[in-house]
Amino acid sequence: MKKEIAKHYDPAATEGPIYRRWLEAGAFAAFPDGRGEDRRYVVMMPLPNVTGALHMGHAMDNVMQDLLIRWHRMLQDNTLWMPGTDHAGIATQAVVEKRLFELEGKTRHDIGREGLVRRIWEWKEEYQQRIIGQQQEMGCSCDWDRQRFTMDPVCTRAVREAFFRLFRDGLIYRGDRLVNWDCQLQTAVSDDEIVHETIQGHFWHIRYPVIEPKPGEPPFVTVATTRPETMLGDTAVAVHPDPAGELERLITELPARIAAAPARDRAGLEAGLEEARRRKDELLPHLLLLRTMAADGRRVLLPLLDRPIPLILDEWARPELGSGCVKITPGHDPNDHDVWKRHRVEIGIVNILNPDGTLNANAGPYAGMDRLEARRKVVADLEAGGRIEAVEDREIEIGHSDRSKTPIEPYLSKQWFVRMGEVESGILCGRGTKKEFRAPGLAQAAIDATDPAYRSPSGRRLEFHPDPERYRGTYVSWLAEKRDWCISRQLWWGHRIPIWRGSFDRSALGGILKKMPPASSEELHVWVADQEGNLLPPRDEDLPAEGRFDLLACLRDPAAEKAWAGALAELGLVQDPDVLDTWFSSALWPFSTLGWPDPATAEVEAGKPGLGGKDGAPDCLSTYYPGSCLVTGRDIITLWVARMQLMGLYLLGDVPFTDCFIHANIQDGKGERMSKSKGNGIDPADIIEKYGADAMRYVLCDMQTGTQDIRLPVQAVSPYTGKLVDLATARHGRTVFTYVDPETGKEFDVLGTIPDLPVAKIISERFEVGRAFCTKLWNAARFALMSLEEEPAGDFRLFRFAELEPEDRWVLARLRRAVEAVTAGLADYNPSQALGAAREFFWGELCDWYLELIKPRLKQGAADRRAGAVLALVLDQVLRLIHPFVPFISEALWESLGGLRPRRGADEELDCRGPLITAAWPVARADWRDEGAESDMGLLQGVVRAVRNWRSTAGCPPSRKIAAVVKAGGEDAAALVRTAPGISHLAALSGLEIRAEFDRPKTAAKVVHSGLEIFLLDVIDVEAERKRLEAGLARWRKDLERTDKKLANPGFVEKAPAEVVAEERRRLEAARREIALLERSLADLS
RNA sequence: GGGCGGUUAGCUCAGCGGUAGAGUAUCGGUCUUACAAACCGGGGGCCGCAGGUUCGAACCCUGCACCGCCCACCA
């Protein structure tokens, strides 16, 4: 079968059809089968949010996964890559709400919960399609039939089951906490969803008058704040219980710390010491007085509201800072909240905020104002009342919501939490499984799972790559805080919390508990919570005699809900309106997608493969859990990796994956992380359109070297001049998405967000490397295929390594090394190294040397079939090696190769059936070693390079053939005889003689290479020749001098390892030899 | 404020104790029948700065400077 191969590679015409063929062949599909545990490879895709389209950072993430998956598929593992998308609760709702307001001027309250959720589903459908389209364009070989969304029925069921189990085990509680409140989205957000920004602010010092001061007592105390409006919620002023001792301790300890501190910190510490001493002398009497007043129960009057509040003693008030006194606002400051917890009986707690950020009735005359407006008014009123002692300008760090970009307010509200820390008597992990074990607490279980010395009951642990210790440090240090995880969000988009609750007085509680529906403990779990949030068993006789209590009832699944929710409602319990943090459902992703808790009954969409076992085959959960490798960026380690680990360990008794590959982040030309919101993101589709998917993948793999981050400078093609504009230096226009063309001063857009501005295409010359590689691959294959066309495909003969020519054996020996190097690079999570090894073999050895060498043999046709057979074999192996990196072009060439040469191999016939995507990964054959051939080729390359070098400096083009004589004897001569035809061909010689003795004719040039003298006849230009020889001599003399000096150093000779010294001696000898030859050549010239 | 990482050719990055590397850009040459999106050849580096350890330092140690990332409650 003859098939024309196009002269140029056209990615756009090739990629789509190839991808469709893979899909039709079911090449991405995974099914449980008989392959053992060590032959599975499972990757769970980090779920892209459905908030928007993907950028190059996602492309990196997806390409890394596809690389590993394709490699393992070729290793013949049972390979599952589970794709999916995340509902991304807060982020998606924020985007849709924003759009609703911009386009229709409506808020979520105008269209209601149902209406908003419906719109978010519409948005999700649109962006999910867009994301899948992008991933398919990149060549991602995920099992699309198994694709999941975090709000699919099967995932939702897992969320509910996980919640039920955590709740039953007392690991979920409802607490009165200060949370990070987003006043715009009106929800709590987690610490991880906050970004801190430094802004210019003020520090106000305010005087609170002392109520009826006694003689000698100060008329007021001064406190300071950056948020003056919070004073409306003050319930105390604190002073340190032992200011003298505290200052003394500082003065004693600081000198030691100063001595140990780095120089740059010293000045600050010394100033601190000086200040502490000054305070001891000047401020201490005042503080001691205040302490006595506090102990005496004295009070101060809160200005503006004229509310008496107590002076209290608490260590939070640091005598070395500010006035030594601190206002206490338990409702709006986390530290003050802690103070309140220590002084519950003495002081109150006041919430002054409404959920939307306006002040409530507790703010008295300021009620109804926005908090920032109130701040101005409070300051003005305090000033008018002479209460402001001083105002300082100061840089302050303000937490902003990552989603709405508005300042976060600490806000007192009831939220749901997962208990991360140790639990008395520990927690049972993997309950009901064979891997059941006890752990001190959720966070500790996840920490232990990464300890190299630790062996889980399953024998598995988690390891990070490519820098195990560094990333483990990030993971452990975050988990070690064991901060309870706030899982409730006041949103409408997400998994509803499956709790029905009511608040009852102790007197009513007994009766309610008696009337609880007769649901089994497998359907319903009930806790009673006291005002502190402590969980108590719902037994009337065990409860405290009085107080107010929350009754919390969790219904396990929709069936239980259907059966008993009505009964709960009749008792006065209502379902909690909140939804779960999006990370709660994504933490379950490694097993919720596989049908946990029961694959047999997992509900999947029509037409999708089921998750239960069929015809005796195991089910998906037992086959694909635990998974293999999670591929993601550093920032996700705490947000997601840690949470998947602890959920997997708790619910299934095993780590969800054993390896975590942390890849580099993509930065823009300024070195800032690429992100859509920054406006510096680029759509992989732009790059694919211009350079092709393989070119993009090639470059992403090549950039992934193991360092932190990768700079990707991009340029825009100016829509005004057509010239390139470097976005790293261009000025922004009216938004971060627009830039100003430096030449015309006109503005353009890069994302198509501003309707009236022209859009500039984005390019990055980095990707030209990838395109060049594809072109080279295409051309080399085209040459090979054209050559192979010459002979009939039918008469395949399996040649033996030993019967091949030296260059054939050389290329196979090099192939063997390349297979080892590529495999090792992939195993080490170093795609760049793996790709480099493949490229070096393909380009630097196969194309540059082997193909050129065998051209004459290929022309001989039937006389020597060996070159063609080796060529087909090596091309086969190169395509396999390169396929995970550049899947489209390699698959296309594989098809052409198969058409011409369906049977390939040497020593052993290869299995070449089927598409490349499922072909076997190359094996490094131990018997393809040939040091003799490699040394012959080394000589050939050296001589050819020497002649080319001379040609270049002498300006003698290859079209001018030259006769040459090499003076050599012994083994060198024998090797030259073997390689002479190749040398002649590659160095464009008209003839090459090897002689033991030869005197240079006057018309010959001479070049030397490793002791050999090469005479190029009838070419001489004496002056040019002299200059060239002198330059060579200078280089060698410099080398000799360096080596000589090194060997003359007795320290070196005595202390350096013997082989290093021997190597230097060899160098010295080589230099002397070359110098002697060159000197003789120079002498010959005259 | 704490932690982690980076600083090597114009650019993007390897190398991490034994003569400074790749790709790209640049310069010179070549249309050698697969490939000018190529081939051949060349130039270009106080390996951020200052000390130290070592026979020997881009590499190890200690400072300093600048850049980036993560974490953080200082009134």
Side-chain angles (χ1 to χ4, degrees):
Chain A
M1 177 177 112
K2 286 201 175 185
K3 199 167 152 191
E4 274 302 306
I5 177 158
K7 177 128 191 181
H8 293 289
Y9 176 56
D10 180 1
T14 311
E15 291 167 1
I18 294 270
Y19 198 84
R20 278 194 292 280
R21 257 170 277 167
W22 286 331
L23 283 176
E24 282 157 18
F28 306 159
F31 292 99
D33 60 20
R35 278 175 282 185
E37 226 176 44
D38 57 337
R39 300 306 306 277
R40 299 171 309 114
Y41 197 76
V42 182
V43 171
M44 293 286 167
M45 179 187 285
L47 323 172
N49 293 346
V50 291
T51 44
L54 308 183
H55 58 66
M56 288 306 293
H58 300 105
M60 171 62 91
D61 190 55
N62 284 313
V63 168
M64 289 303 113
Q65 292 170 74
D66 197 47
L67 181 68
L68 292 172
I69 279 288
R70 284 181 185 269
W71 176 45
H72 278 275
R73 190 181 288 120
M74 292 179 77
L75 289 169
Q76 308 301 304
D77 287 343
N78 184 342
T79 307
L80 168 64
W81 185 10
M82 175 74 73
T85 41
D86 194 319
H87 68 282
I90 190 168
T92 316
Q93 183 169 328
V95 169
V96 174
E97 274 192 65
K98 186 163 172 244
R99 193 155 130 143
L100 180 70
F101 190 78
E102 282 171 359
L103 296 182
E104 303 175 37
K106 289 180 184 167
T107 70
R108 67 170 135 153
H109 301 287
D110 295 328
I111 60 170
R113 185 163 190 155
E114 221 171 275
L116 183 77
V117 169
R118 199 184 61 243
R119 281 172 190 256
I120 303 175
W121 275 105
E122 287 165 10
W123 174 275
K124 172 250 170 190
E125 291 303 331
E126 182 187 337
Y127 274 89
Q128 192 176 41
Q129 275 319 110
R130 173 111 185 254
I131 288 166
I132 292 169
Q134 287 177 305
Q135 290 174 332
Q136 296 194 337
E137 276 186 42
M138 292 178 213
C140 293
S141 60
C142 345
D143 187 352
W144 296 110
D145 292 340
R146 295 193 184 274
Q147 137 156 249
R148 292 271 113 78
F149 177 60
T150 45
M151 282 167 69
D152 281 353
V154 60
C155 295
T156 299
R157 181 176 74 157
V159 164
R160 189 140 183 183
E161 175 69 15
F163 189 97
F164 182 83
R165 292 197 192 183
L166 286 161
F167 181 74
R168 188 178 56 189
D169 283 351
L171 295 172
I172 285 184
Y173 65 93
R174 187 161 176 262
D176 210 3
R177 288 293 176 94
L178 269 193
V179 294
N180 307 301
W181 190 259
D182 182 326
C183 297
Q184 182 171 327
L185 296 169
Q186 299 190 27
T187 177
V189 298
S190 73
D191 295 338
D192 311 304
E193 291 164 318
I194 292 177
V195 285
H196 292 268
E197 282 170 34
T198 305
I199 62 160
Q200 283 303 323
H202 303 286
F203 199 43
W204 284 274
H205 298 254
I206 309 171
R207 292 172 171 169
Y208 289 7
V210 173
I211 296 175
E212 295 168 7
K214 294 181 182 163
E217 287 183 357
F220 53 80
V221 296
T222 304
V223 295
T225 180
T226 56
R227 295 186 299 155
E229 73 283 6
T230 61
M231 66 154 294
L232 301 170
D234 282 3
T235 57
V237 168
V239 63
H240 197 278
D242 180 18
E246 181 67 11
L247 284 173
E248 197 54 51
R249 190 182 59 77
L250 262 176
I251 291 166
T252 319
E253 284 176 7
L254 268 174
R257 278 178 56 201
I258 290 169
R264 63 158 179 261
D265 297 342
R266 221 161 272 171
L269 287 171
E270 271 163 7
L273 179 60
E274 195 52 39
E275 175 69 9
R277 288 193 176 123
R278 193 186 63 77
R279 278 167 181 264
K280 192 183 157 192
D281 295 339
E282 295 173 17
L283 190 66
L284 189 55
H286 174 68
L287 292 178
L288 287 170
L289 184 56
L290 287 177
R291 185 189 65 169
T292 311
M293 289 164 67
D296 196 28
R298 308 302 306 283
R299 298 189 298 173
V300 297
L301 194 65
L302 186 65
L304 307 182
L305 297 184
D306 290 337
R307 183 165 72 219
I309 57 175
L311 262 177
I312 61 167
L313 296 172
D314 193 278
E315 295 183 354
W316 170 238
R318 309 263 296 275
E320 74 274 19
L321 292 172
S323 65
C325 297
V326 60
K327 64 195 266 306
I328 302 299
T329 322
H332 299 283
D333 182 283
N335 298 301
D336 295 358
H337 192 254
D338 289 342
V339 173
W340 169 75
K341 280 196 261 173
R342 294 193 282 269
H343 300 269
R344 271 176 219 257
V345 287
E346 310 158 59
I347 68 175
I349 182 164
V350 175
N351 175 21
I352 58 164
L353 275 182
N354 289 314
D356 63 357
T358 59
L359 270 55
N360 65 21
N362 289 330
Y366 305 93
M369 291 182 190
D370 180 77
R371 63 199 190 284
L372 296 178
E373 184 190 348
R375 174 174 300 175
R376 286 188 287 274
K377 185 81 167 43
V378 163
V379 169
D381 291 350
L382 285 171
E383 240 158 24
R387 300 296 184 199
I388 302 277
E389 183 174 294
V391 185
E392 287 174 55
D393 289 331
R394 172 190 273 219
E395 283 190 346
I396 44 179
E397 294 275 317
I398 301 282
H400 284 71
S401 167
D402 192 31
R403 301 307 174 190
S404 68
K405 310 297 175 196
T406 56
I408 285 292
E409 294 297 331
Y411 184 74
L412 192 65
S413 65
K414 291 268 190 200
Q415 302 288 340
W416 291 92
F417 292 86
V418 172
R419 197 180 298 282
M420 300 289 277
E422 272 77 318
V423 173
E424 202 183 333
S425 80
I427 58 169
L428 189 61
C429 291
R431 186 196 297 275
T433 71
K434 286 179 194 154
K435 297 169 183 168
E436 207 173 85
F437 70 99
R438 279 211 163 266
L442 287 173
Q444 192 60 46
I447 291 172
D448 290 344
T450 62
D451 185 342
Y454 180 82
R455 280 289 166 267
S456 69
S458 72
R460 293 186 180 86
R461 63 183 191 93
L462 170 66
E463 188 170 35
F464 290 93
H465 306 280
D467 191 342
E469 279 314 302
R470 178 176 160 199
Y471 299 131
R472 178 171 178 267
T474 308
Y475 171 94
V476 169
S477 63
W478 184 80
L479 277 170
E481 290 184 30
K482 298 180 183 175
R483 303 221 312 218
D484 288 347
W485 171 17
C486 176
I487 52 169
S488 45
R489 295 291 183 274
Q490 291 65 49
L491 298 171
W492 293 348
W493 173 244
H495 300 282
R496 186 98 177 249
I497 289 177
I499 292 276
W500 281 256
R501 59 178 167 84
S503 184
F504 304 97
D505 277 324
R506 179 65 183 90
S507 52
L509 198 56
I512 303 273
L513 285 173
K514 277 199 192 73
K515 288 188 222 151
M516 284 301 279
S520 73
S521 61
E522 293 302 305
E523 296 172 283
L524 172 71
H525 194 89
V526 178
W527 286 105
V528 172
D530 67 17
Q531 290 307 291
E532 321 278 301
N534 299 309
L535 299 178
L536 309 166
R539 282 186 301 270
D540 194 22
E541 60 276 20
D542 297 340
L543 293 170
E546 50 189 53
R548 195 165 175 86
F549 296 88
D550 285 338
L551 192 56
L552 308 173
C554 183
L555 286 164
R556 189 170 200 161
D557 54 35
E561 180 176 337
K562 198 171 170 202
W564 307 115
L568 292 177
E570 276 173 29
L571 292 175
L573 276 67
V574 293
Q575 188 177 3
D576 196 289
D578 291 355
V579 300
L580 288 165
D581 178 16
T582 196
W583 294 108
F584 190 92
S585 51
S586 41
L588 312 178
W589 184 247
F591 43 93
S592 66
T593 51
L594 299 173
W596 181 86
D598 181 17
T601 58
E603 185 187 339
V604 295
E605 293 78 351
K608 287 194 174 182
L611 298 168
K614 233 182 10 193
D615 306 326
D619 63 64
C620 283
L621 185 64
S622 58
T623 305
Y624 296 120
Y625 191 93
S628 309
C629 188
L630 186 91
V631 181
T632 190
R634 285 188 308 285
D635 47 326
I636 301 300
I637 292 174
T638 53
L639 288 171
W640 192 40
V641 175
R643 285 169 183 159
M644 279 191 285
Q645 287 290 329
L646 61 88
M647 285 292 203
L649 288 161
Y650 169 66
L651 294 168
L652 287 97
D654 211 339
V655 294
F657 39 86
T658 51
D659 298 276
C660 182
F661 174 24
I662 302 297
H663 60 246
N665 288 323
I666 304 278
Q667 300 180 332
D668 66 9
K670 291 178 205 158
E672 286 178 38
R673 218 182 119 201
M674 195 168 279
S675 82
K676 280 279 174 198
S677 57
K678 268 188 198 162
N680 61 354
I682 32 176
D683 188 339
D686 282 1
I687 302 298
I688 291 171
E689 185 191 329
K690 181 149 175 67
Y691 303 94
D694 287 326
M696 182 190 78
R697 293 173 60 113
Y698 177 97
V699 172
L700 287 176
C701 290
D702 198 35
M703 292 193 299
Q704 179 54 52
T705 57
T707 53
Q708 273 218 131
D709 290 317
I710 295 159
R711 271 191 203 207
L712 184 63
V714 296
Q715 296 167 306
V717 182
S718 165
Y720 305 107
T721 63
K723 291 184 188 167
L724 295 181
V725 180
D726 184 359
L727 293 189
T729 51
R731 276 192 304 119
H732 277 294
R734 67 185 87 160
T735 78
V736 291
F737 306 108
T738 65
Y739 295 87
V740 176
D741 179 5
E743 198 166 306
T744 60
K746 290 196 236 168
E747 193 176 359
F748 61 81
D749 187 5
V750 293
L751 286 175
T753 47
I754 311 283
D756 57 328
L757 282 181
V759 179
K761 283 252 174 202
I762 285 194
I763 66 161
S764 172
E765 63 181 23
R766 297 292 306 275
F767 294 98
E768 279 162 21
V769 180
R771 184 169 55 185
F773 179 83
C774 291
T775 303
K776 186 72 180 176
L777 185 62
W778 187 261
N779 285 323
R782 195 164 77 92
F783 167 73
L785 295 170
M786 278 165 21
S787 307
L788 295 174
E789 256 179 1
E790 300 300 320
E791 57 178 291
D795 47 344
F796 171 71
R797 196 193 134 193
L798 193 64
F799 290 103
R800 302 277 149 202
F801 186 72
E803 61 184 310
L804 298 173
E805 290 292 319
E807 65 262 24
D808 301 331
R809 284 181 272 120
W810 171 79
V811 81
L812 292 180
R814 292 296 177 162
L815 168 67
R816 195 196 116 258
R817 291 182 195 272
V819 170
E820 275 179 353
V822 174
T823 307
L826 289 171
D828 288 347
Y829 298 89
N830 193 333
S832 176
Q833 204 169 72
L835 180 57
R839 175 188 54 228
E840 187 47 38
F841 172 70
F842 160 71
W843 202 321
E845 297 187 317
L846 178 63
C847 292
D848 289 350
W849 296 96
Y850 186 72
L851 289 186
E852 294 302 328
L853 272 172
I854 63 170
K855 275 179 182 174
R857 291 167 65 202
L858 290 171
K859 280 183 195 146
Q860 289 170 22
D864 183 358
R865 296 265 172 85
R866 293 173 299 173
V870 172
L871 179 57
L873 164 62
V874 174
L875 180 59
D876 168 294
Q877 297 286 291
V878 163
L879 292 175
R880 291 180 203 241
L881 280 179
I882 215 75
H883 178 260
F885 304 92
V886 286
F888 293 106
I889 187 172
S890 55
E891 185 75 80
L893 293 170
W894 175 267
E895 284 176 10
S896 303
L897 178 64
L900 277 173
R901 285 292 180 109
R903 300 179 66 190
R904 309 185 280 272
D907 287 319
E908 210 174 307
E909 189 173 350
L910 296 165
D911 184 352
C912 305
R913 293 166 299 173
L916 178 57
I917 185 172
T918 47
W921 185 250
V923 174
R925 289 189 65 112
D927 50 342
W928 288 357
R929 282 175 205 270
D930 193 330
E931 276 163 28
E934 287 187 282
S935 124
D936 275 9
M937 277 296 294
L939 182 70
L940 176 145
Q941 289 172 321
V943 173
V944 169
R945 284 193 180 114
V947 177
R948 281 176 178 168
N949 190 310
W950 176 85
R951 279 186 182 279
S952 188
T953 40
C956 174
S959 53
R960 189 175 152 203
K961 304 284 185 218
I962 309 170
V965 174
V966 183
K967 190 170 144 194
E971 178 46 37
D972 280 345
L976 282 166
V977 170
R978 289 193 294 271
T979 52
I983 293 173
S984 291
H985 177 58
L986 296 177
L989 302 177
S990 58
L992 176 64
E993 285 183 60
I994 296 100
R995 298 212 197 144
E997 289 303 327
F998 188 73
D999 289 325
R1000 187 183 76 87
K1002 286 283 177 206
T1003 56
K1006 187 172 93 175
V1007 292
V1008 298
H1009 168 73
S1010 65
L1012 301 171
E1013 293 171 279
I1014 304 155
F1015 299 94
L1016 303 168
L1017 308 180
D1018 303 322
V1019 292
I1020 193 96
D1021 170 339
V1022 175
E1023 259 325 290
E1025 187 69 1
R1026 183 191 309 280
K1027 275 171 95 174
R1028 196 179 57 78
L1029 290 170
E1030 277 168 352
L1033 200 52
R1035 269 202 304 277
W1036 280 109
R1037 281 186 173 142
K1038 203 174 150 197
D1039 199 56
L1040 178 75
E1041 192 184 349
R1042 182 171 37 219
T1043 315
D1044 211 23
K1045 201 168 151 194
K1046 208 164 178 179
L1047 284 166
N1049 177 354
F1052 174 71
V1053 180
E1054 284 161 28
K1055 297 188 181 172
E1059 64 267 23
V1060 175
V1061 178
E1063 178 59 32
E1064 288 301 317
R1065 294 224 160 93
R1066 270 194 294 278
R1067 289 176 56 78
L1068 187 74
E1069 282 317 305
R1072 283 188 177 143
R1073 191 184 58 199
E1074 299 295 316
I1075 287 167
L1077 288 174
L1078 288 165
E1079 279 173 344
R1080 209 168 79 209
S1081 306
L1082 269 173
D1084 287 350
L1085 274 184
S1086 43

